[in-house]
Amino acid sequence: MKILVIEDERKVASFIKHGLEEERYIVETAADGVTGLEMAMNNEFDAILLDVMLPGKDGFTVLRELREAGFVTPILMLTARGTTEDRVQGLDLGADDYLPKPFSFEELAARLRSILRRSSPEKTTKMKCADLVLDTVSHLGFRFNKEIELTTKEYGLLEYLLKNKNRILSRSTITQHVWKHNFDPESNIIDVYIKRLRAKIEREDGTKPLIQSIRGVGYRLRDVPQDDNLEADA
Ligand code: CA
């Protein structure tokens, strides 16, 4: 899951970022409303943590402009303590929840999980592909009921592949969604990580691999037999 944190207080932003990264979220930060709004509109995030008092554009303006532009990304507002008006205004403008400052990381993480769940009620917390299972709450991966040790980046990559199961994804699409938005598209990092992921999840008994390479394009995670007319080299 990819989260955008729009917060101008460096300490708070870094506290949130580090905590969320430990929980295996991919986190990007913006320190003012203008940059935050631009990042939110040009990238796909699973949720946004949005401070109210921001330089450039305040949180309410960012929220209103996002909703007016049709973005339905779940948004958790970070409000000043005890300002009921702020909370009401935020919810009226289309925020999904608010969290008064100061807050504990545990509470922030719980609220975030809650808005992520509510935004996709049709989804369960388990993503599956054949006998591969990823638990999006505990952030653990399993194959043959055995836990797979995944790094944060490997988890993010696998989650994105599972979210788009049976779809062919180009390297640049994967880069855009799983890596930082300013990542060098010419780099071969995707191939490096796919290789690491394969070493962890694929069987070695000759069965068709779950992650299929599509020559000249990218990758596909598949759980059903596909026609192999596409040039596949996996
Ligand atoms: Ca602030």
Side-chain angles (χ1 to χ4, degrees), residues 6-9 12 31 51-55 78 101:
I6 310 178
E7 165 64 79
D8 60 316
E9 282 169 74
V12 179
D51 185 31
V52 172
M53 299 286 281
L54 286 169
L78 308 176
K101 289 179 175 180

Side-chain angles (χ1 to χ4, degrees), residues 53 65 94 168 172 201 204-205 234:
M53 299 286 281
E65 291 189 20
I168 295 173
S172 61
I201 69 166
E204 290 169 354
D205 59 2

Side-chain angles (χ1 to χ4, degrees), residues 90-101:
L91 295 172
D92 278 349
L93 285 170
D96 296 81
D97 200 0
Y98 62 86
L99 183 59
K101 289 179 175 180

Side-chain angles (χ1 to χ4, degrees), residues 56-116:
K57 277 179 180 171
D58 67 40
F60 294 133
T61 309
V62 173
L63 172 66
R64 198 186 60 240
E65 291 189 20
L66 272 175
R67 292 300 186 236
E68 280 173 1
F71 286 85
V72 294
T73 319
I75 295 177
L76 174 62
M77 302 290 292
L78 308 176
T79 65
R81 192 190 180 88
T83 51
T84 316
E85 273 176 33
D86 274 9
R87 296 174 202 174
V88 172
Q89 191 180 350
L91 295 172
D92 278 349
L93 285 170
D96 296 81
D97 200 0
Y98 62 86
L99 183 59
K101 289 179 175 180
F103 47 79
S104 70
F105 180 76
E106 285 68 30
E107 184 170 15
L108 174 86
R111 298 284 184 106
L112 177 61
R113 284 195 297 271
S114 159
I115 63 169
L116 286 168

Side-chain angles (χ1 to χ4, degrees), residues 157-172:
L157 175 60
L158 186 56
E159 186 189 72
Y160 186 66
L161 292 172
L162 276 160
K163 223 190 248 179
N164 295 282
K165 198 166 66 173
N166 298 319
R167 269 185 58 197
I168 295 173
L169 301 167
S170 70
R171 285 183 181 77
S172 61

